Amino acid sequence: MTILVGTASWTDKSLIESGKFYPPSAKDAETRLKYYASQFPMVEVDSSYYAMPVPATTHLWAERTPEHFVFNVKAFRLFTGHQTQPKVFPRDIQQALGLPLTENIYYRDLSAEIQQELWRRFFEAIEPLRWTGKLGAIHFQFAPWITAGGNARKHVEHCASVMAGWPMAVEFRNSSWWTEKNRTSTLAFERERQLVNVIVDGPQGFGSSVPAVWEVTSPELAIVRMHGRNASTWEKKGLAASSDRFNYDYPDEELQDIAEHIKVLSRAVPIVHAVLNNNYQDQGQRNARTLAQLLQ
């Protein structure tokens, strides 16, 4: 069994500005990634959620990291049901759409031709990670309004169909998937398609809260994603930065409890990724180091 511990993003603004993780010599993208990869064996790419990646960038990521380093890449936000502005699309697609660059649009608003072209370019962009053996999974963090039924469920099924042949990890942000009524069917849905069930640790009691479902649904991989447990900021409006939402420093006793669950999980699957998404300053990196020590 292999347990890889890392963090969500290595370029978060609050992490860099804190000066608490990177040495003074790490002043650019190349030296930061190389330093990060000397400390952890995997990372989650967050930037691909906000804008389509390009092959030249992912090629550099592969080139700048050790042979067995692993990237989990977040799916582009349009694919996960979130509102998206055309300004983040490639220039030629912006022109083809002919819409105001700051107008919110959804996947359903695009023609099938443009949808297919965006998928093609997304796959093309992450192909350098796949052919170098450094792609762990493509992480779909579905929008909170993607429910377990109706057209929302059909969209998840559509994404799973398009993703056939690629490693797909699924994180739901709507509790309807994990109700007593739907839990069994959700797990069966994931197992049938060999999707990775992302086990979420985060605040409870909100519309976007989901329970931690410690189940393996892929024969190859399990992912545990820790958002912190800061209930006061989880759905707070007007935060200065997204990292403020995840401002939480896991106490050692909470990490110990999570580590014990991960150890049990690792007996059922060859590889487990444990990802710290409490990306305020260096909290994720510090907690990841502690978790890695607890798992040894």
Side-chain angles (χ1 to χ4, degrees):
M1 62 184 180
T2 300
I3 302 174
L4 304 181
V5 181
T7 66
S9 178
W10 69 95
T11 59
D12 193 85
K13 183 179 179 182
S14 72
L15 171 64
I16 295 171
E17 291 181 348
S18 73
K20 296 178 179 179
F21 176 66
Y22 290 111
S25 58
K27 296 183 180 296
D28 57 30
E30 179 176 359
T31 54
R32 287 176 187 140
L33 178 54
K34 287 183 173 179
Y35 177 78
Y36 177 94
S38 74
Q39 304 297 302
F40 299 103
M42 66 82 58
V43 75
E44 178 185 287
V45 177
D46 189 50
S47 59
S48 53
Y49 166 79
Y50 295 100
M52 294 280 286
V54 294
T57 300
T58 58
H59 177 78
L60 288 175
W61 292 344
E63 190 177 73
R64 292 168 176 174
T65 49
E67 179 181 0
H68 299 295
F69 191 82
V70 174
F71 293 86
N72 286 350
V73 179
K74 285 190 74 174
F76 183 42
R77 61 182 297 141
L78 188 81
F79 302 151
T80 55
H82 291 85
Q83 67 274 25
T84 309
Q85 295 181 345
K87 68 180 181 180
V88 303
F89 293 167
R91 183 67 60 85
D92 61 325
I93 292 182
Q94 293 177 10
Q95 294 172 347
L97 285 173
L99 297 173
L101 295 182
T102 56
E103 177 180 322
N104 283 331
I105 60 173
Y106 293 85
Y107 186 82
R108 63 179 179 268
D109 298 325
L110 303 180
S111 68
E113 181 182 8
I114 290 181
Q115 290 173 359
Q116 292 168 9
E117 179 62 14
L118 287 170
W119 281 108
R120 187 193 68 78
R121 295 192 193 189
F122 183 79
F123 292 140
E124 179 183 56
I126 58 179
E127 182 61 34
L129 297 179
R130 182 160 76 163
W131 59 251
T132 55
K134 294 186 175 184
L135 178 64
I138 302 173
H139 183 106
F140 281 71
Q141 180 184 299
F142 284 104
W145 44 87
I146 299 296
T147 60
N151 289 332
R153 184 185 184 91
K154 290 179 181 177
H155 178 72
V156 178
E157 293 172 347
H158 167 72
C159 290
S161 177
V162 175
M163 283 287 297
W166 292 83
M168 178 177 177
V170 176
E171 178 179 347
F172 295 116
R173 287 290 185 89
N174 187 289
S175 61
S176 65
W177 292 90
W178 300 119
T179 62
E180 184 176 351
K181 176 183 176 182
N182 290 335
R183 175 186 165 115
T184 300
S185 63
T186 296
L187 291 170
F189 171 82
E190 293 177 326
R191 288 185 174 122
E192 179 183 349
R193 294 162 177 80
Q194 297 189 352
L195 308 180
V196 179
N197 168 49
V198 177
I199 300 158
V200 177
D201 184 83
Q204 298 300 301
F206 297 91
S208 59
S209 298
V210 294
V213 180
W214 292 90
E215 294 279 353
V216 172
T217 56
S218 161
E220 303 295 334
L221 175 66
I223 297 177
V224 181
R225 198 160 182 254
M226 290 151 275
H227 296 293
R229 300 175 180 179
N230 191 342
S232 66
T233 58
W234 185 244
E235 290 190 349
K236 188 175 182 179
K237 306 296 184 183
L239 295 173
S242 61
S243 58
D244 293 343
R245 191 177 317 283
F246 307 105
N247 182 355
Y248 187 81
D249 200 349
Y250 278 95
D252 287 358
E253 56 269 22
E254 291 181 355
L255 291 174
Q256 179 66 62
D257 180 63
I258 292 170
E260 294 305 317
H261 280 84
I262 292 174
K263 289 176 183 177
V264 173
L265 190 75
S266 69
R267 298 172 192 153
V269 67
I271 302 172
V272 179
H273 292 173
V275 183
L276 276 296
N277 189 43
N278 52 333
N279 56 350
Y280 180 78
Q281 296 189 0
D282 69 331
Q283 290 174 343
Q285 285 70 28
R286 283 190 291 103
N287 289 169
R289 283 172 170 159
T290 300
L291 181 61
Q293 292 170 357
L294 293 169
L295 287 166
Q296 289 178 354

